[in-house]
């Protein structure tokens, strides 16, 4: 019998003996089979190891083993981190030793870099930031390579952003990583970093800059004939155009992107802030805005189901806020509530500070829609204040439902101050996506303030109607038309109200059971010229 076989048999016999003596616990549910020392036995063994003087050599072999395991998985084309995820406690212990006074910093830098995909898979971003920061600090001392620096700077910038640290430090790490990708000609790396810088620009409210960096990414992808990267950059361009209120361009970009069948191919592997079905959710939003609410709802429900099936908390928390608009615009509160509570729990559990506050804002908005005014207002106000303190750019969009609720509860003056602040902030950063609805909300506030100003309210609604038409946003146009028709109805201008609202309603070919279209149909019946009866059956 070969000596190696003899050694293996001896080791297995020793292990079986330890299991029989209850010194080792056998977990047969794991694949492969795993053994675990009882806590008291482990403590005793650690004391003996320390006394032997071999603890440093064993710790080094332990760290090198898991470094090799992670690097091997990282080199696989279709890597599966599920097995190594079971070893996370060992990886953490190895990192702790590497960066201890007795540890090996060079091995620690390599291990931290190799562990990053595992941290992101497990959504442990705060801990990822801890170890990556230590590794970056040790880079110069250990003469770490460019590729290690690239991976570490990328991870630190991404982790800081998702944990709510929207500062120049995180942005500088991403820019440093982008410089390194350019130095070594790493085109896929450049595309990933442009994706992350794009998200950071959205978070801080620099929407024109977000469009610009997405354009830069598209140019790089086109120059390198990378069709998958071109498609990904066009999704970013579509998202940017939505924030800028350019909905026709947004739809054009995302439809071009969706012609590429491999769009989600690499989303679940590696360090990425993407999520499955991002393009589909982006398309669903623009379809709703352009007047196709049924199509939008079908697409977004299927997309969110696919995201949930991916079983990745960070990706779920990235996807839901973008999908939320479609559910809420349609008045599908059940769909909203089905996901928001889970979203808030996951965002809190994984220290996704910005996304947790966004989730709390969405929860507050949903409660207000349920007429749970007290708790809804408190939750929405609190999240807005915290998002504002973190310099979150799209906070203006959350001030709009807050102003709506204040106006509805008789606080018209406060509502007007709130929506005027939102409009000013939105205009400053070119956040035009919600501007028609903001102008409608301003009109409601003007009508509900202590000294109602109906003429200014009318002007705001006319501006909202004109802007929605200019943007090609039929969904917003209908909401503005309903509000203006009701105002004219109050002023006994029923014929004008009907003649303005009816053509907008007639442009719709679907969605007749959604909240806005039901309201429009009822209002047309109230205005009640003879020909309006044809709408009742539509």
């Amino acid at each position: 019998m070969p000596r190696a076989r003899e050694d293996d048999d001896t080791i297995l016999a020793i292990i079986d003996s330890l299991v029989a003596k209850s010194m080792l616990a056998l977990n047969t549910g794991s694949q492969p089979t795993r053994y675990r020392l009882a806590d008291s036995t482990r403590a005793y063994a650690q004391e003996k190891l320390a006394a032997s003087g071999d603890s440093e050599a064993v710790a080094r072999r332990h760290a090198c083993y898991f470094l090799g395991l992670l690097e091997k998985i990282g080199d696989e084309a279709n890597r599966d981190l599920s097995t190594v995820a079971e070893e996370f406690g060992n990886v953490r212990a190895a990192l702790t030793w590497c960066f201890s006074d007795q540890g090996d910093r060079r091995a620690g830098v390599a291990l931290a870099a190799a562990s990053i995909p595992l941290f992101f898979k497990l959504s442990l971003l705060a801990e990822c930031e801890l170890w990556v920061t230590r590794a970056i600090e040790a880079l110069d001392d250990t003469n770490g390579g460019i590729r290690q620096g690239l991976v570490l700077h990328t991870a630190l910038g991404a982790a800081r952003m998702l944990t709510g640290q929207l500062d120049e430090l995180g942005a500088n790490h991403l820019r440093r990583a982008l410089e390194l990708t350019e130095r070594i000609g790493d085109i896929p790396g450049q595309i990933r970093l442009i994706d992350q810088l794009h998200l950071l620009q959205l978070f801080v409210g620099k929407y024109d800059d977000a469009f610009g960096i997405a354009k830069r990414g598209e140019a790089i992808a086109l120059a390198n004939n990378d069709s998958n990267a071109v498609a990904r950059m066009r999704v970013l361009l579509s998202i940017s155009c939505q924030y800028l209120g350019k909905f026709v361009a947004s739809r054009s970009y995302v439809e071009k992107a969706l012609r590429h069948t491999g769009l989600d191919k690499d989303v679940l592997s590696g360090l990425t802030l993407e999520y499955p079905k991002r393009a589909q959710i982006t398309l669903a939003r623009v379809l709703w805005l352009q007047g196709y609410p049924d199509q939008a709802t079908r697409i977004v429900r299927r997309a969110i189901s696919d995201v949930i099936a991916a079983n990745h908390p960070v990706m779920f928390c990235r996807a839901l806020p973008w999908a939320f608009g479609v559910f809420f615009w349609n008045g599908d509160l059940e769909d909203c509530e089905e996901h928001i509570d889970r979203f808030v729990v996951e965002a809190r559990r994984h220290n996704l500070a910005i996304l947790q506050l966004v989730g709390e804002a969405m929860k507050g908005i949903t409660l207000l829609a349920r007429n749970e005014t007290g708790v809804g207002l408190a939750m929405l106000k609190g999240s807005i204040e915290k998002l504002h303190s973190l310099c979150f750019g799209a906070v203006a969009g959350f001030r709009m439902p807050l102003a709506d609720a204040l106006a509805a509860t008789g606080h018209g003056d406060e509502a007007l101050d709130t929506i005027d602040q939102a409009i000013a902030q939105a205009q400053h950063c070119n956040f035009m996506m919600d501007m028609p609805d903001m102008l409608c909300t301003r009109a409601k506030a003007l009508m509900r303030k202590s000294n109602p100003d109906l003429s200014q309210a009318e002007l705001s609604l006319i501006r909202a109607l004109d802007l929605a038409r200019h943007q090609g946003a039929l969904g917003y146009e209908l909401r503005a038309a309903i509000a203006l028709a009701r105002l004219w109805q109050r002023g006994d201008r029923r014929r004008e109200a009907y003649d303005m609202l009816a053509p907008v309603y007639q442009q719709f070919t679907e969605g007749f059971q959604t909240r806005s279209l039901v309201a429009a149909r009822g209002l047309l019946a109230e205005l009640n010229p003879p020909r309006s009866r044809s709408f009742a059956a539509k």
Side-chain angles (χ1 to χ4, degrees), residues 109 113 116 132 135-136 139 143-156 173 176-178 180-181 193:
V109 169
I116 287 166
V132 168
I136 288 173
L139 264 177
N143 297 314
I146 288 178
R147 290 193 179 276
Q148 282 184 342
L150 163 60
V151 169
L152 293 167
H153 284 291
T154 300
L156 187 52
H173 281 293
R176 174 62 177 152
L178 186 56
L180 294 173
T181 60
L193 281 156

Side-chain angles (χ1 to χ4, degrees), residues 166 201-207 243 354 357-358 360-362 365 379-403 418-429 431-434 438:
L166 305 182
Q201 301 287 24
L202 295 182
F203 274 5
V204 299
K206 295 181 178 179
Y207 303 112
Y243 279 95
I354 289 288
L357 292 171
V358 168
E360 290 171 1
M362 294 190 302
I365 291 167
M379 183 171 284
L380 184 53
K381 276 184 177 179
S383 59
I384 286 172
E385 288 169 5
K386 292 172 186 174
L387 285 167
H388 179 73
S389 71
L390 292 171
C391 302
F392 182 66
V395 72
F398 292 129
R399 294 190 195 279
M400 180 176 60
L402 175 60
T418 300
I419 195 60
D420 281 345
Q421 184 180 358
I423 289 171
Q425 182 184 3
Q427 289 173 334
H428 175 72
C429 60
F431 175 58
M432 300 302 290
M433 179 165 62
D434 293 333
M438 288 185 184

Side-chain angles (χ1 to χ4, degrees), residues 68 120 364 440 458:
F120 272 74
C440 287
E458 181 180 8

Side-chain angles (χ1 to χ4, degrees), residues 97-414:
W97 177 79
C98 286
F99 290 105
S100 69
D101 291 339
Q102 297 78 33
D104 183 340
R105 294 286 194 282
R106 185 185 297 274
V109 169
L111 183 59
S115 302
I116 287 166
L118 181 59
F119 281 114
F120 272 74
K121 176 179 176 58
L122 298 175
S123 299
L124 297 173
L125 300 184
E127 186 166 354
C128 180
E129 182 181 347
L130 167 69
W131 295 117
V132 168
T133 298
R134 291 186 181 181
I136 288 173
E137 290 169 353
L139 264 177
D140 291 337
D141 296 336
T142 60
N143 297 314
I146 288 178
R147 290 193 179 276
Q148 282 184 342
L150 163 60
V151 169
L152 293 167
H153 284 291
T154 300
L156 187 52
R160 287 183 67 84
M161 175 170 42
L162 284 177
T163 53
Q165 301 168 87
L166 305 182
D167 52 22
E168 276 302 299
L169 179 58
N172 287 339
H173 281 293
L174 292 177
R175 294 188 190 107
R176 174 62 177 152
L178 186 56
E179 289 172 8
L180 294 173
T181 60
E182 291 168 346
R183 189 186 302 180
I184 62 176
D186 179 2
I187 301 303
Q190 289 178 49
I191 295 298
R192 284 194 298 273
L193 281 156
I194 284 171
D195 197 333
Q196 293 175 33
L197 283 165
H198 176 268
L199 178 60
L200 180 59
Q201 301 287 24
L202 295 182
F203 274 5
V204 299
K206 295 181 178 179
Y207 303 112
D208 289 304
D209 290 348
F211 181 83
I213 199 163
K215 263 295 182 189
R216 176 181 171 184
E218 183 191 38
I220 292 169
L222 286 168
N224 288 274
N225 296 315
D226 187 335
S227 59
N228 188 51
V230 170
R232 288 170 59 191
M233 292 302 99
R234 284 177 175 164
V235 175
L236 302 192
L237 286 165
S238 177
I239 292 168
S240 301
C241 285
Q242 283 196 30
Y243 279 95
L244 296 168
K246 300 176 180 179
F247 303 128
V248 174
S250 175
R251 182 169 176 179
S252 175
Y253 278 124
V254 76
E255 287 182 337
K256 287 177 183 175
L258 283 165
R259 291 175 196 150
H260 184 76
T261 55
L263 196 55
D264 283 338
K265 183 178 67 174
D266 299 322
V267 167
L268 295 176
S269 63
L271 170 59
T272 177
L273 299 184
E274 292 185 74
Y275 52 88
K277 309 303 177 185
R278 177 167 58 165
Q280 286 83 350
I281 295 172
T282 301
L283 175 62
R285 287 176 58 88
V286 79
L287 283 171
W288 188 94
L289 290 163
Q290 291 189 324
Y292 302 98
D294 289 345
Q295 292 181 58
T297 300
R298 283 195 299 273
I299 291 170
V300 85
R301 283 178 178 163
R302 187 163 58 246
I304 285 295
S305 294
D306 290 342
V307 173
I308 291 170
N311 194 28
H312 192 297
V314 171
M315 289 182 180
F316 172 69
C317 291
R318 285 272 289 109
L320 188 64
W322 198 229
F324 174 80
V326 176
F327 294 135
F328 189 73
W329 290 330
N330 272 353
D332 297 332
L333 298 185
E334 290 77 13
D335 282 318
C336 294
E337 291 169 328
E338 181 182 350
H339 302 301
I340 287 175
D341 289 337
R342 175 184 175 183
F343 174 97
V344 173
V345 168
E346 294 286 14
R348 184 182 297 121
R349 177 181 298 151
H350 298 289
N351 194 32
L352 308 177
I354 289 288
L355 295 175
Q356 179 186 333
L357 292 171
V358 168
E360 290 171 1
M362 294 190 302
K363 179 71 172 178
I365 291 167
T366 306
L367 289 169
L368 289 170
R370 290 282 193 200
N371 294 319
E372 296 182 40
T373 306
V375 64
L377 272 175
M379 183 171 284
L380 184 53
K381 276 184 177 179
S383 59
I384 286 172
E385 288 169 5
K386 292 172 186 174
L387 285 167
H388 179 73
S389 71
L390 292 171
C391 302
F392 182 66
V395 72
F398 292 129
R399 294 190 195 279
M400 180 176 60
L402 175 60
D404 249 334
L406 289 168
T409 54
H411 299 86
D413 294 316
E414 186 181 354

Side-chain angles (χ1 to χ4, degrees), residues 37-105:
L37 281 170
D39 291 341
S40 57
T41 309
R42 180 185 290 107
Y44 176 76
Q46 286 174 335
E47 287 178 11
K48 288 293 186 182
L49 180 62
S52 72
D54 293 331
S55 57
E56 182 178 327
V58 170
R60 187 182 306 278
R61 290 202 300 270
H62 178 265
C64 289
Y65 172 80
F66 284 101
L67 172 60
L69 179 62
L70 285 163
E71 288 181 336
K72 179 177 180 294
I73 293 172
D75 290 337
E76 294 174 357
N78 298 306
R79 60 181 169 191
D80 180 6
L81 293 168
S82 56
T83 302
V84 77
E86 295 184 357
E87 303 286 358
F88 180 72
N90 280 307
V91 174
R92 178 187 280 152
L95 285 165
T96 301
W97 177 79
C98 286
F99 290 105
S100 69
D101 291 339
Q102 297 78 33
D104 183 340
R105 294 286 194 282

Side-chain angles (χ1 to χ4, degrees), residues 346-535:
E346 294 286 14
R348 184 182 297 121
R349 177 181 298 151
H350 298 289
N351 194 32
L352 308 177
I354 289 288
L355 295 175
Q356 179 186 333
L357 292 171
V358 168
E360 290 171 1
M362 294 190 302
K363 179 71 172 178
I365 291 167
T366 306
L367 289 169
L368 289 170
R370 290 282 193 200
N371 294 319
E372 296 182 40
T373 306
V375 64
L377 272 175
M379 183 171 284
L380 184 53
K381 276 184 177 179
S383 59
I384 286 172
E385 288 169 5
K386 292 172 186 174
L387 285 167
H388 179 73
S389 71
L390 292 171
C391 302
F392 182 66
V395 72
F398 292 129
R399 294 190 195 279
M400 180 176 60
L402 175 60
D404 249 334
L406 289 168
T409 54
H411 299 86
D413 294 316
E414 186 181 354
L416 185 58
D417 289 342
T418 300
I419 195 60
D420 281 345
Q421 184 180 358
I423 289 171
Q425 182 184 3
Q427 289 173 334
H428 175 72
C429 60
N430 207 14
F431 175 58
M432 300 302 290
M433 179 165 62
D434 293 333
M435 188 58 71
D437 263 8
M438 288 185 184
L439 291 168
C440 287
T441 297
R442 186 173 192 273
K444 294 175 193 173
L446 285 162
M447 289 186 277
R448 300 286 184 99
K449 68 176 194 158
S450 51
N451 294 307
D453 191 337
L454 300 186
S455 61
Q456 283 299 312
E458 181 180 8
L459 287 175
S460 284
L461 290 171
I462 290 170
R463 283 180 60 202
L465 197 63
D466 290 343
L467 178 59
R469 285 173 179 160
H470 175 74
Q471 292 177 335
L474 184 60
Y476 283 156
E477 185 181 348
L478 179 66
R479 285 146 74 111
I482 290 169
L484 184 58
R486 284 176 174 155
L487 179 61
W488 284 351
Q489 183 184 31
R490 285 173 57 181
D492 202 25
R493 298 163 63 183
R494 301 165 68 88
R495 169 61 66 178
E496 288 177 80
Y498 177 85
D499 288 342
M500 179 272 302
L501 177 58
V504 179
Y505 181 90
Q506 287 173 326
Q507 292 179 62
F508 283 85
T509 57
E510 63 176 64
F512 295 106
Q513 302 309 311
T514 58
R515 180 173 55 184
S516 293
L517 284 161
V518 169
R521 187 162 60 248
L523 182 54
L524 286 166
E526 287 176 26
L527 296 171
N528 203 31
R531 67 179 185 275
S532 72
R533 293 179 188 133
S534 62
F535 291 105

